[in-house]
């Protein structure tokens, strides 16, 4: 099937005079997750991971993806004739190096300029120029080939009350305009969906798991334009927009509007984040205005959760913890007695979450990996390929929910019966790493690159590692992956080096992945807080948000340092105190047992 | 006296039409330490620290310096009428912000363009432009005022044999030219003294404590020009230069040469490090050539010590350890019995070093701080102000030597009698931090920003800190402060984020400074080595180079983690094994005692 689709694509490429067609994984907004309409790379390659770029030539094709997906991609590409390019591995060229190597003299590179970032588009332009060729960027070749392509999503838009957002739209706009004034910007173009949703206090469901709406925005000192599908707005929400001075325009009209604005305002100063915009927008803007290339001011504003958001988040995490812990009770007491599969337990955990009125939907596809499947970092069970769960080994579940009070993301690995010594050592190591980062205190000014070591050092000391960052920012009733904060040691992965600010929420999720055997990941969320200020400066610490027992059946206390044991005991005491009011009878006794002190 | 000198300077400023005269601490080569000829800032301010910039106006003056020197500068500036600006403290403007604030409309900024970096000069230019004023950069106002100004140094130049350098000049030049070819550079301009000395395998003593020669260099595919004072070269060294295709030209001729070269080669591509060159050079280069602004390739090459240098370094450090440990024996057994002062013990430690034939000279001014003076990070005792040392409290000595086999830098804090509990806790904390960083293992790709936490976390966990980096690179028979490697957490302090490469040597020197009471710093040097390579990547570790006992009288084992005690015991066992052959009788018994196992 894949080969058939690629054949059609190659015919279309030939007809358009394209030698190399590039299909990244993106929508028009540089979103991490994309709605079905945009799953072109998946359509042409069969690879379902959340990140990857397909490059198709007349006779060959290659898929570039990262360490999270090597095992999965290898399996899914098998038989497709597509070569897997393992990004970051020794000897594997970068995508652009590869395109440059392979492109013939005078060759043409093709792509849909709306799904390619401005900077990537410029790189392809440079490569084509070097080879005396050119770039064709205004064709979406999938349009004609993909017959049953889904429509662009148009889910209902709703507005977030101040009791949830913590800050009215008016104030957010005023803060943004203040920043614009500081930068002497005449207009600000915003294309990232979570920034737009945050700024206007709007939510929808246009991207699966992400409560955002397909939209663009342009803000000036007087006006605020929202480009989105009018059909998605109720009269009430429209009225809310009007009240806040926001003018609704058609989604498609955006590029024309920008082009016209730029022609009419030759000397205008446009604030935007080049890294985020797509190549087509860059072309529409043209060369006659001045671009102020800065991170979108809303990115930092949004990441610093306000006091109302923080208080809500504590509630959301408590609801979530009750659900996950009740799931844990069910799992540990039912396994081996009732049939269960990776998918059925994922459904079960969602069912426990749904018992809260505040629950809206999962914040991402639950990763439920049993046994060796736990070693696949972003594993996704399918009805065709889904392991039965038995009363032995380990089950890793990475899941989360959107509540009106915020978004959660938690991973627990559960011990379902007998495990090997190696598994126990690995489990203990991951817990130690998680606790050490959680307990870190630091001076204001630190970035994730400074702090990543706090988790990773116990791995490195044993010659081990995990091929992913230690943690990512999390939105408030928003994308589960949110910048700018993260924990990762490779500076190249975060060129801007954002310092940790009070109110930022970041996950702490070290893991270990032994191919063919098992995987362990433990993930809590941490809220950055100001601590003591003294002669040395402003100290910061992390307030823990996630209160779900860590399965003591996986712990070897003799492999832990005394302060780590102390930290785990303190954590479990807190878990017990927070959750006990929601448990009774046998469940409560069980909770007391699984949060017991160890030594 | 200072006020008198400033008065003369102000008269000269007035005569030249200068409103603001800026005097940094620099020679023409952006060196950290400068020879007496260049000590203009010291001459006009009285402040003797190694870093600081004096800004003089018609009625006021300000000195900017960093946290290492706050206490010292406060004392030395007292009565001068010069305001101390504590860099990095809350509410203290940056130097450029301050100049911009204070400069009147149409005002003129003056400085000697040879002692101001290109980028600083450009900033002053921008400020002057904003104010509708201008910059005067070709005047050294000290020339006429400073009557007994020392001459430019001209010490004898000697060449380093391959048994010490590990790589002949020819090969180094070939490697550099390969880099130039990769960058398509027609010429490379090198103005940093240690890079030039390394490249040509030359040494001299033009900068106190730094074995370098005042010089510039220009390298093309065919030629290599060395601009230096011919009088400093013996016939033998001249012959060595000729053999290696190096043409010697007059030091002063450099600027004319560059100016002529740039006029004659309009499209030339010039490789140089903008950050390192001075403003005058920038002006001489002009706008008609293409500048490839990159770190000097020699900076990375030089930092990665070759196998012969590494083997020599081990020897140098062993000689140094024997000297410092013999000093320690003398100190601990003589204190309270023979009179001693901060200066006399500094002389004593040098005397022990001089017993080695290979010893050339100290690698920097010994810091010998007793009691409260130990809290002054870069304290310098003077004959007028030098504490007597008694059999109580703590003495911190930071010292090092140049040997033919390499350069050393070591700090030990010695317990001379009774100390308080707080002192013991502080001492133990510093030792813990030093050991933890020394023992760190990490994946290739880490920078100092990733690893600094390994030392600092035990401080931060207690709400403590030290206001300096945890460590700096060290040259091989070269500058004791050498880039690009270092341990520090503030990314802004090292914008290029160099990863640790095998062969880099870095100090590991956490400290604690309690103003008015005491200071502790413990410093070892670490050689970066490749460890195991496995599926996770290339692991790296640090080979310890410094083997001198850590004074167990300052240690509270109950404040240490088990793995730290183990590390200290392992270290002391190594110290004993390495040093025992050089000790006998009572000294050997003492050595065994001070390197005993603790628990």
């Amino acid at each position: 099937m894949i080969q058939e689709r690629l054949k059609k694509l190659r015919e279309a490429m030939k007809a358009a005079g394209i030698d190399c067609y590039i299909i990244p994984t993106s929508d028009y907004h540089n979103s991490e997750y994309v709605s079905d309409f945009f799953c072109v790379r998946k359509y042409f390659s069969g690879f379902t991971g959340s990140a990857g770029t397909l490059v198709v030539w007349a006779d060959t094709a290659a898929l570039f993806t990262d360490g999270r997906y090597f095992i999965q991609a290898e399996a899914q590409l098998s038989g497709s004739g597509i070569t897997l390019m393992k990004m970051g591995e020794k000897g594997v060229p970068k995508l652009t190096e590869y395109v440059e190597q392979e492109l013939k003299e005078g060759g043409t590179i093709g792509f849909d300029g709306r799904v390619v970032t401005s900077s990537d588009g410029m790189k392809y332009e440079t490569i084509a120029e070097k080879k005396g060729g050119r770039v064709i960027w205004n064709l979406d070749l999938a349009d004609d080939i993909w017959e049953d392509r889904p429509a662009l999503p148009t889910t209902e838009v709703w507005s977030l009350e101040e009791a949830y957002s913590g800050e009215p739209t008016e104030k957010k706009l005023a803060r943004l305009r203040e920043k614009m004034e500081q930068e002497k910007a005449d207009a600000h173009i915003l294309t990232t969906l979570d920034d737009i949703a945050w700024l206007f206090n709007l939510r929808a469901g246009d991207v699966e798991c992400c409560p955002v709406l397909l939209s663009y925005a342009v803000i000036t000192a007087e006006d605020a334009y929202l480009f989105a599908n009018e059909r998605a707005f109720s009269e009430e929400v429209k009225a809310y927009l009007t009240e806040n001075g926001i003018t609704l325009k058609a989604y498609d009209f955006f590029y024309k509007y920008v082009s016209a604005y730029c022609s009419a305002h030759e000397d205008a100063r446009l604030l935007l984040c080049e890294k985020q915009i797509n190549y087509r927008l860059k072309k529409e803007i043209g060369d006659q205005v001045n671009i102020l290339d800065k991170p979108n001011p809303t990115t930092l504003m949004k990441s610093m959760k306000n006091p109302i958001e923080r208080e809500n988040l504590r509630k959301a995490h408590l609801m979530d913890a009750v659900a996950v812990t009740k799931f844990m009770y069910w799992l540990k007491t039912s396994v081996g007695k009732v049939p269960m599969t990776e998918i059925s337990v994922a459904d079960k955990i969602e069912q426990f979450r749904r018992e809260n009125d505040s629950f809206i939907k999962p914040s991402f596809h639950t990763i439920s990996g049993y046994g060796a499947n736990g070693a696949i970092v972003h594993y996704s069970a399918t009805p065709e390929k889904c392991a039965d769960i038995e009363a032995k080994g380990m089950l890793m579940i990475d899941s989360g929910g959107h509540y009106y009070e915020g978004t959660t993301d938690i991973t627990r690995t559960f011990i379902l019966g007998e495990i090997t010594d190696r598994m126990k050592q690995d489990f203990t190591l991951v817990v130690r790493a998680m606790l050490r980062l959680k307990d870190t205190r630091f001076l204001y000014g630190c970035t994730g690159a400074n702090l990543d070591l706090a988790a990773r050092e116990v791995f490195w000391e044993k010659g081990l590692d995990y091929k992913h960052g230690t943690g990512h920012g999390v939105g408030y009733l928003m994308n589960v992956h949110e910048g700018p904060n993260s924990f990762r040691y490779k500076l190249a992965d975060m060129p801007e080096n954002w310092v940790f600010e009070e109110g930022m929420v970041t996950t702490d999720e070290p893991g270990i992945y032994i191919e063919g055997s098992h995987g362990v990941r433990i993930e809590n969320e941490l809220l950055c807080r100001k601590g003591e200020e003294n002669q040395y400066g402003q100290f910061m610490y992390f307030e823990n948000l996630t209160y779900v027992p860590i399965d003591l059946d996986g712990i070897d206390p003799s492999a832990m340092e005394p302060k780590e044991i102390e930290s785990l005991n303190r954590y479990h005491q807190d878990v017990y105190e927070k959750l006990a009011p929601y448990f009774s009878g046998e469940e409560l006794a069980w909770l007391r047992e699984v949060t017991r002190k160890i030594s």
Side-chain angles (χ1 to χ4, degrees), chain A:
Chain A
M1 191 170 63
I2 294 302
Q3 289 187 335
E4 191 53 40
R5 289 172 184 174
L6 284 175
K7 198 179 149 213
K8 283 188 190 160
L9 178 58
R10 287 178 172 131
E11 283 162 11
M13 284 166 60
K14 204 173 170 189
I18 292 171
D19 299 290
C20 165
Y21 193 67
I22 299 172
I23 312 172
T25 307
S26 187
D27 59 9
Y28 305 155
H29 307 276
N30 197 25
S31 303
E32 183 185 3
Y33 300 104
V34 299
S35 62
D36 293 343
F37 173 86
F38 296 106
C39 293
V40 182
R41 188 262 296 145
K42 175 176 152 195
Y43 179 79
F44 283 113
S45 71
F47 169 59
T48 59
S50 74
T53 299
L54 179 65
V55 185
V56 181
W57 307 84
D59 301 310
T60 60
L63 181 100
F64 285 74
T65 192
D66 64 65
R68 296 174 298 176
Y69 294 113
F70 291 167
I71 300 172
Q72 176 182 339
E74 205 132 24
Q76 293 181 329
L77 293 182
S78 149
S80 70
I82 299 168
T83 308
L84 172 61
M85 305 294 264
K86 296 182 176 182
M87 285 163 67
E89 297 275 285
K90 244 188 188 171
V92 176
K94 286 184 186 160
L95 175 57
T96 46
E97 289 167 357
Y98 163 78
V99 172
E100 187 169 345
Q101 273 165 33
E102 300 292 319
L103 190 69
K104 65 175 188 198
E105 285 299 318
T108 298
I109 303 172
F111 53 82
D112 177 355
R114 291 169 299 180
V115 297
V116 164
T117 62
S118 158
S119 69
D120 283 346
M122 305 295 275
K123 283 179 201 156
Y124 300 140
E125 220 182 88
T126 307
I127 293 170
E129 261 171 37
K130 272 194 201 171
K131 296 288 179 102
R134 66 189 189 113
V135 148
I136 295 179
W137 52 269
N138 52 3
L139 287 179
D140 179 357
L141 295 185
D143 245 358
D144 289 334
I145 300 169
W146 189 355
E147 280 172 13
D148 51 351
R149 184 175 189 168
L152 271 170
T154 316
T155 57
E156 197 191 340
V157 175
W158 46 281
S159 75
L160 204 62
E161 283 168 40
E162 196 178 330
Y164 296 108
S165 73
E167 187 178 11
T169 309
E170 201 182 12
K171 269 202 182 168
K172 289 182 176 179
L173 273 167
R175 280 209 287 151
L176 173 61
R177 284 178 170 134
E178 212 174 284
K179 283 275 168 205
M180 288 170 60
E181 214 180 298
Q182 281 168 20
E183 304 284 355
K184 300 196 175 63
D186 298 302
H188 174 44
I189 299 185
L190 204 50
T191 63
T192 38
L193 301 184
D194 57 346
D195 282 310
I196 297 170
W198 176 85
L199 177 64
F200 295 139
N201 284 321
L202 296 176
R203 296 293 189 274
D206 282 355
V207 179
E208 208 183 344
C209 298
C210 298
V212 296
L213 54 149
L214 283 185
S215 53
Y216 305 94
V218 176
I219 294 99
T220 66
E222 291 84 29
D223 298 310
Y225 296 100
L226 175 65
F227 299 85
N229 193 327
E230 203 194 321
R231 279 188 299 131
F233 293 77
S234 66
E235 287 311 313
E236 204 186 326
V237 177
K238 280 186 194 168
Y240 155 82
L241 293 181
T242 309
E243 270 164 42
N244 283 279
I246 301 161
T247 310
L248 188 59
K249 303 244 174 203
Y251 183 59
D252 286 341
F253 183 61
F254 172 66
Y255 294 100
K256 275 184 210 133
Y257 176 86
V258 169
S259 171
Y261 178 91
C262 293
S263 302
H265 298 77
E266 238 189 57
D267 285 329
R269 290 166 61 87
L270 244 61
L271 177 65
L272 55 81
C273 181
E274 286 246 16
K275 212 179 61 181
Q276 300 283 8
I277 68 167
N278 67 43
Y279 184 74
R280 162 128 185 226
L281 176 55
K282 175 86 178 169
K283 290 279 160 188
E284 301 287 2
I285 289 171
D287 297 329
Q288 308 204 327
V289 294
N290 304 300
I291 290 186
L292 303 170
D293 178 20
K294 305 248 171 178
N296 293 323
T298 43
T299 299
L300 182 60
M301 294 178 189
K302 165 165 58 62
S303 72
M304 295 170 66
K305 275 66 181 172
N306 62 47
I308 290 174
E309 287 173 321
R310 288 179 217 167
E311 200 43 45
N312 284 337
L313 273 172
R314 291 182 191 105
K315 289 181 202 156
H317 278 276
L318 183 57
M319 285 185 267
D320 204 60
V322 171
V324 177
T325 307
K326 295 209 167 197
F327 165 79
M328 181 180 176
Y329 174 77
W330 170 84
L331 176 72
K332 301 265 294 182
T333 54
S334 310
V335 69
K337 294 171 196 159
V338 299
M340 51 180 84
T341 68
E342 288 169 336
I343 290 182
S344 79
V345 297
D347 292 343
K348 191 82 182 175
I349 205 167
E350 188 176 326
Q351 197 180 306
F352 278 108
R353 284 199 169 98
R354 285 201 184 280
E355 284 175 19
N356 290 295
D357 292 339
S358 259
F359 179 79
I360 301 169
K361 62 177 178 179
S363 54
F364 58 98
H365 281 286
T366 296
I367 297 167
S368 169
Y370 179 58
N373 292 340
I376 305 173
V377 179
H378 282 223
Y379 175 69
S380 176
T382 56
E384 302 79 40
K385 214 186 144 218
C386 171
D388 288 329
I389 295 173
E390 301 167 63
K392 64 174 184 188
M394 304 196 288
L395 170 68
M396 183 207 289
I397 300 195
D398 188 347
S399 68
H402 289 300
Y403 299 82
Y404 286 98
E405 292 84 0
T407 299
T408 67
D409 182 2
I410 173 175
T411 309
R412 285 294 181 268
T413 303
F414 303 103
I415 315 299
L416 303 185
E418 212 178 308
I419 56 169
T420 65
D421 276 354
R422 172 69 205 260
M423 288 176 191
K424 204 162 196 173
Q425 290 312 310
D426 288 345
F427 188 97
T428 306
L429 182 67
V430 171
V431 172
R432 291 175 61 204
M434 192 281 281
L435 293 171
R436 291 172 77 99
L437 176 56
K438 178 173 90 59
D439 293 342
T440 299
R441 292 188 58 191
F442 56 97
L443 272 174
Y444 177 81
C446 279
T447 69
N450 298 129
L451 303 180
D452 187 77
L453 187 75
R456 220 175 281 264
E457 63 181 341
V458 292
F459 276 74
W460 285 352
E461 149 187 311
K462 294 181 191 293
L464 298 170
D465 191 39
Y466 41 94
K467 288 180 183 172
H468 56 72
T470 303
H472 55 84
V474 181
Y476 175 86
L477 181 39
M478 192 64 81
N479 294 356
V480 75
H481 291 170
E482 178 183 281
N485 44 309
S486 72
F487 297 114
R488 53 186 70 240
Y489 75 97
K490 289 184 183 162
L491 291 162
D493 293 353
M494 42 174 200
E496 277 138 20
N497 297 314
W498 292 85
V499 308
F500 274 97
E501 302 284 353
E502 183 162 61
M504 284 178 169
V505 173
T506 319
T507 66
D508 171 7
E509 48 176 319
I512 193 161
Y513 310 95
I514 308 301
E515 199 179 330
S517 172
H518 61 281
V520 181
R521 188 166 59 248
I522 305 281
E523 173 186 29
N524 274 22
E525 279 187 55
L526 307 177
L527 171 64
C528 184
R529 299 288 307 272
K530 281 185 181 169
E532 174 192 9
E533 186 173 8
N534 64 22
Q535 56 173 313
Y536 301 109
Q538 175 65 59
F539 279 90
M540 312 291 285
Y541 69 98
F542 294 115
E543 175 187 332
N544 179 71
L545 291 174
T546 308
Y547 288 101
V548 171
I550 290 167
D551 197 337
L552 290 173
D553 295 339
I555 292 283
D556 173 9
S558 76
M560 295 176 79
E561 291 182 14
K563 70 170 181 188
E564 295 161 358
I565 292 181
E566 221 175 89
S567 170
L568 181 58
N569 285 337
R570 249 185 292 118
Y571 177 69
H572 272 151
Q573 191 182 328
D574 289 344
V575 170
Y576 181 78
E577 280 168 16
K578 295 211 182 256
L579 301 191
Y582 304 90
F583 287 73
S584 61
E586 264 180 41
E587 271 192 355
L588 182 62
W590 169 87
L591 181 67
R592 189 174 297 124
E593 172 65 16
V594 297
T595 57
R596 70 190 177 274
K597 260 199 178 171
I598 60 160
S599 59

